[in-house]
C-alpha cells in the first residue's frame, strides 16, 4: 500500500470530481488517500512517504481557484525545502484561454519544483474543449503515472 496526499482546486466542481474519481481508483487499488485542505505547507514539510497529487482547474486569467489560492500563497511564502517530496499534477483548463491554458496547474508544478520536489511523469493537462468527461482522461492516464511512480520512487509504491 502507498500513501497519496490530494490537493484539489476547483471553482465549479469539475476538478473536484476528477480528484474524487482518481482517489476512488487509488483506494480500490489498495492505496491510502489523504485530502489536504489546510496546512499544506506544514504537512508537505513533514517527513512522509506520501506522494502528492495536485488536481486543479484554472480560473480568471490563469489564476488559481479560491479554495487553493491561500494555501498556495502560504506555501510560496514559507518556501519549505521539499527534496523528499514527489508529486504529480492534473491540470484542467480550456485552451481557448490561450497563454493562460492550465495556468494554475503549471503554477503549482513550478512552485513545487522550485521547492526541490520532484515531479513524477509528465503533467496531465485536460482541455475542456476536447472532452466533457475529464475524469475518463485522468483515469486513463493514472496507470501510466503509477508505473512512472514505481520506477521513480520504488520505495514509496507497493
Ligand atoms: C471565468 C472562467 C475563467 C477561466 N479561465 C481559464 C484560464 O485562464 N485558463 C484555462 O486554461 N482555463 C480557464 N477556464 C476553464 C476552466 O479551468 C475549465 O472549464 C475547468 O474544467 C473548470 O473546472 P472546475 O469546475 O473544477 O472549476 C476558465 C473558466 C471560467 C468559467
Amino acid at each position: 500500500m502507498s500513501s497519496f496526499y490530494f490537493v484539489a482546486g476547483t471553482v465549479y466542481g469539475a476538478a473536484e470530481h476528477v480528484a474524487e474519481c482518481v482517489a476512488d481508483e487509488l483506494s480500490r487499488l489498495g492505496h491510502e488517500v489523504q485530502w489536504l485542505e489546510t496546512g499544506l505547507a506544514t504537512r508537505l514539510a513533514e517527513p512522509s512517504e506520501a506522494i502528492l497529487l495536485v488536481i486543479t482547474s484554472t480560473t480568471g486569467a490563469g489564476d488559481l481557484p479560491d479554495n487553493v489560492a491561500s494555501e498556495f500563497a502560504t506555501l510560496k511564502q514559507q518556501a519549505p525545502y521539499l527534496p523528499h517530496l514527489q508529486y504529480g499534477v492534473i491540470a484542467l483548463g480550456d485552451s481557448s484561454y490561450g497563454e493562460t491554458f492550465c495556468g494554475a496547474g503549471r503554477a503549482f508544478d513550478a512552485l513545487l519544483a522550485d521547492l526541490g520536489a520532484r515531479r513524477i511523469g509528465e503533467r496531465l493537462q485536460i482541455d475542456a474543449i476536447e472532452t466533457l468527461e475529464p475524469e475518463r482522461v485522468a483515469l486513463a492516464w493514472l496507470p501510466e503515472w503509477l508505473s512512472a511512480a514505481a520506477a521513480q520512487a520504488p520505495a514509496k509504491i507497493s
Side-chain angles (χ1 to χ4, degrees), residues 72-97:
F72 180 92
T74 304
L75 184 62
K76 189 169 184 176
Q77 192 246 322
Q78 292 188 359
Y81 183 45
L82 304 173
H84 56 279
L85 184 69
Q86 280 159 309
Y87 68 94
V89 178
I90 299 177
L92 278 75
D94 182 326
S95 59
S96 68
Y97 284 86

Short mmCIF file of all heavy atoms in Angstrom, two decimals, residues 72-97:
data_model
loop_
_atom_site.label_atom_id
_atom_site.label_comp_id
_atom_site.label_asym_id
_atom_site.label_seq_id
_atom_site.Cartn_x
_atom_site.Cartn_y
_atom_site.Cartn_z
N PHE A 72 -1.68 27.93 -1.53
CA PHE A 72 -0.58 28.11 -2.49
C PHE A 72 0.30 29.30 -2.07
O PHE A 72 1.53 29.21 -2.05
CB PHE A 72 -1.15 28.35 -3.89
CG PHE A 72 -0.12 28.55 -4.96
CD1 PHE A 72 0.36 27.48 -5.71
CD2 PHE A 72 0.38 29.82 -5.22
CE1 PHE A 72 1.31 27.68 -6.71
CE2 PHE A 72 1.34 30.03 -6.22
CZ PHE A 72 1.80 28.95 -6.96
N ALA A 73 -0.37 30.41 -1.69
CA ALA A 73 0.38 31.62 -1.30
C ALA A 73 1.22 31.36 -0.05
O ALA A 73 2.37 31.81 0.05
CB ALA A 73 -0.60 32.77 -1.06
N THR A 74 0.65 30.62 0.92
CA THR A 74 1.40 30.31 2.14
C THR A 74 2.59 29.41 1.82
O THR A 74 3.70 29.60 2.35
CB THR A 74 0.48 29.62 3.17
OG1 THR A 74 -0.63 30.47 3.40
CG2 THR A 74 1.19 29.36 4.49
N LEU A 75 2.37 28.44 0.95
CA LEU A 75 3.47 27.54 0.56
C LEU A 75 4.59 28.34 -0.10
O LEU A 75 5.77 28.15 0.19
CB LEU A 75 2.93 26.47 -0.40
CG LEU A 75 3.90 25.38 -0.86
CD1 LEU A 75 4.40 24.56 0.32
CD2 LEU A 75 3.22 24.46 -1.88
N LYS A 76 4.20 29.27 -0.94
CA LYS A 76 5.20 30.09 -1.64
C LYS A 76 5.95 30.99 -0.65
O LYS A 76 7.16 31.16 -0.73
CB LYS A 76 4.49 30.94 -2.70
CG LYS A 76 5.43 31.67 -3.61
CD LYS A 76 4.67 32.27 -4.76
CE LYS A 76 5.64 32.92 -5.72
NZ LYS A 76 4.98 33.44 -6.90
N GLN A 77 5.20 31.54 0.30
CA GLN A 77 5.80 32.47 1.26
C GLN A 77 6.71 31.73 2.25
O GLN A 77 7.82 32.16 2.54
CB GLN A 77 4.67 33.20 1.98
CG GLN A 77 5.09 34.39 2.80
CD GLN A 77 4.85 34.13 4.28
OE1 GLN A 77 3.86 33.50 4.65
NE2 GLN A 77 5.77 34.59 5.10
N GLN A 78 6.24 30.57 2.75
CA GLN A 78 7.05 29.83 3.73
C GLN A 78 8.20 29.10 3.04
O GLN A 78 9.23 28.84 3.66
CB GLN A 78 6.18 28.84 4.50
CG GLN A 78 5.17 29.55 5.41
CD GLN A 78 4.42 28.58 6.32
OE1 GLN A 78 4.61 27.37 6.28
NE2 GLN A 78 3.54 29.13 7.12
N ALA A 79 7.99 28.73 1.79
CA ALA A 79 9.03 28.10 0.95
C ALA A 79 9.81 27.01 1.66
O ALA A 79 11.04 27.07 1.74
CB ALA A 79 9.97 29.18 0.40
N PRO A 80 9.11 25.97 2.18
CA PRO A 80 9.87 24.86 2.78
C PRO A 80 10.65 24.11 1.69
O PRO A 80 10.21 24.05 0.55
CB PRO A 80 8.76 23.97 3.36
CG PRO A 80 7.56 24.25 2.51
CD PRO A 80 7.66 25.71 2.13
N TYR A 81 11.81 23.57 2.09
CA TYR A 81 12.60 22.79 1.14
C TYR A 81 12.03 21.37 1.14
O TYR A 81 11.89 20.76 2.20
CB TYR A 81 14.07 22.82 1.59
CG TYR A 81 15.04 22.11 0.68
CD1 TYR A 81 14.97 22.27 -0.70
CD2 TYR A 81 16.04 21.29 1.21
CE1 TYR A 81 15.87 21.63 -1.53
CE2 TYR A 81 16.94 20.64 0.39
CZ TYR A 81 16.86 20.81 -0.98
OH TYR A 81 17.75 20.16 -1.81
N LEU A 82 11.68 20.85 -0.04
CA LEU A 82 10.91 19.61 -0.12
C LEU A 82 11.59 18.52 -0.96
O LEU A 82 10.95 17.92 -1.84
CB LEU A 82 9.51 19.90 -0.70
CG LEU A 82 8.67 20.96 0.02
CD1 LEU A 82 7.39 21.26 -0.78
CD2 LEU A 82 8.32 20.49 1.42
N PRO A 83 12.86 18.25 -0.72
CA PRO A 83 13.54 17.27 -1.58
C PRO A 83 13.00 15.85 -1.42
O PRO A 83 13.22 15.01 -2.29
CB PRO A 83 15.00 17.35 -1.12
CG PRO A 83 14.93 17.82 0.29
CD PRO A 83 13.75 18.73 0.36
N HIS A 84 12.31 15.58 -0.32
CA HIS A 84 11.77 14.24 -0.07
C HIS A 84 10.46 14.01 -0.84
O HIS A 84 9.97 12.89 -0.89
CB HIS A 84 11.48 14.07 1.43
CG HIS A 84 10.55 15.12 1.96
ND1 HIS A 84 10.99 16.39 2.30
CD2 HIS A 84 9.21 15.13 2.15
CE1 HIS A 84 9.96 17.11 2.70
NE2 HIS A 84 8.86 16.38 2.61
N LEU A 85 9.89 15.10 -1.37
CA LEU A 85 8.53 15.01 -1.92
C LEU A 85 8.53 14.72 -3.42
O LEU A 85 9.25 15.34 -4.19
CB LEU A 85 7.80 16.34 -1.67
CG LEU A 85 6.33 16.36 -2.11
CD1 LEU A 85 5.48 15.45 -1.22
CD2 LEU A 85 5.77 17.79 -2.07
N GLN A 86 7.68 13.78 -3.80
CA GLN A 86 7.42 13.54 -5.22
C GLN A 86 5.96 13.83 -5.49
O GLN A 86 5.11 13.65 -4.60
CB GLN A 86 7.81 12.12 -5.59
CG GLN A 86 9.33 12.03 -5.78
CD GLN A 86 9.86 10.65 -5.65
OE1 GLN A 86 9.58 9.96 -4.68
NE2 GLN A 86 10.66 10.24 -6.62
N TYR A 87 5.68 14.30 -6.67
CA TYR A 87 4.31 14.79 -6.92
C TYR A 87 3.93 14.58 -8.38
O TYR A 87 4.77 14.40 -9.26
CB TYR A 87 4.20 16.28 -6.54
CG TYR A 87 4.98 17.20 -7.45
CD1 TYR A 87 4.36 17.81 -8.55
CD2 TYR A 87 6.34 17.43 -7.25
CE1 TYR A 87 5.07 18.64 -9.40
CE2 TYR A 87 7.05 18.26 -8.10
CZ TYR A 87 6.42 18.85 -9.18
OH TYR A 87 7.12 19.67 -10.04
N GLY A 88 2.60 14.66 -8.59
CA GLY A 88 2.05 14.69 -9.93
C GLY A 88 1.05 15.82 -10.03
O GLY A 88 0.57 16.33 -9.00
N VAL A 89 0.75 16.23 -11.25
CA VAL A 89 -0.20 17.34 -11.46
C VAL A 89 -1.20 16.95 -12.54
O VAL A 89 -0.81 16.53 -13.64
CB VAL A 89 0.52 18.64 -11.88
CG1 VAL A 89 -0.50 19.75 -12.14
CG2 VAL A 89 1.53 19.08 -10.82
N ILE A 90 -2.47 17.10 -12.21
CA ILE A 90 -3.53 17.03 -13.21
C ILE A 90 -4.14 18.42 -13.29
O ILE A 90 -4.70 18.93 -12.32
CB ILE A 90 -4.62 16.01 -12.81
CG1 ILE A 90 -4.03 14.60 -12.68
CG2 ILE A 90 -5.77 16.03 -13.83
CD1 ILE A 90 -5.04 13.54 -12.22
N ALA A 91 -3.94 19.06 -14.46
CA ALA A 91 -4.41 20.43 -14.65
C ALA A 91 -5.61 20.43 -15.58
O ALA A 91 -5.54 19.89 -16.69
CB ALA A 91 -3.29 21.29 -15.21
N LEU A 92 -6.71 21.03 -15.14
CA LEU A 92 -7.87 21.20 -16.01
C LEU A 92 -7.89 22.63 -16.51
O LEU A 92 -7.62 23.58 -15.75
CB LEU A 92 -9.17 20.93 -15.24
CG LEU A 92 -9.58 19.46 -15.10
CD1 LEU A 92 -8.72 18.77 -14.04
CD2 LEU A 92 -11.06 19.36 -14.72
N GLY A 93 -8.19 22.80 -17.79
CA GLY A 93 -8.25 24.14 -18.35
C GLY A 93 -9.02 24.12 -19.65
O GLY A 93 -9.71 23.14 -19.98
N ASP A 94 -8.87 25.22 -20.36
CA ASP A 94 -9.59 25.40 -21.61
C ASP A 94 -8.64 26.14 -22.54
O ASP A 94 -8.25 27.28 -22.24
CB ASP A 94 -10.86 26.21 -21.32
CG ASP A 94 -11.72 26.42 -22.54
OD1 ASP A 94 -11.16 26.55 -23.64
OD2 ASP A 94 -12.95 26.50 -22.38
N SER A 95 -8.24 25.46 -23.64
CA SER A 95 -7.19 26.03 -24.49
C SER A 95 -7.65 27.30 -25.20
O SER A 95 -6.82 28.03 -25.75
CB SER A 95 -6.68 24.99 -25.49
OG SER A 95 -7.75 24.54 -26.29
N SER A 96 -8.96 27.59 -25.18
CA SER A 96 -9.41 28.84 -25.80
C SER A 96 -8.95 30.05 -24.99
O SER A 96 -9.01 31.19 -25.47
CB SER A 96 -10.92 28.85 -25.99
OG SER A 96 -11.57 28.90 -24.75
N TYR A 97 -8.45 29.82 -23.77
CA TYR A 97 -7.90 30.92 -22.98
C TYR A 97 -6.45 31.23 -23.37
O TYR A 97 -5.81 32.09 -22.76
CB TYR A 97 -8.00 30.62 -21.48
CG TYR A 97 -9.40 30.80 -20.95
CD1 TYR A 97 -10.32 29.76 -21.01
CD2 TYR A 97 -9.82 32.01 -20.40
CE1 TYR A 97 -11.62 29.91 -20.54
CE2 TYR A 97 -11.10 32.17 -19.93
CZ TYR A 97 -12.01 31.12 -20.00
OH TYR A 97 -13.29 31.28 -19.53
#
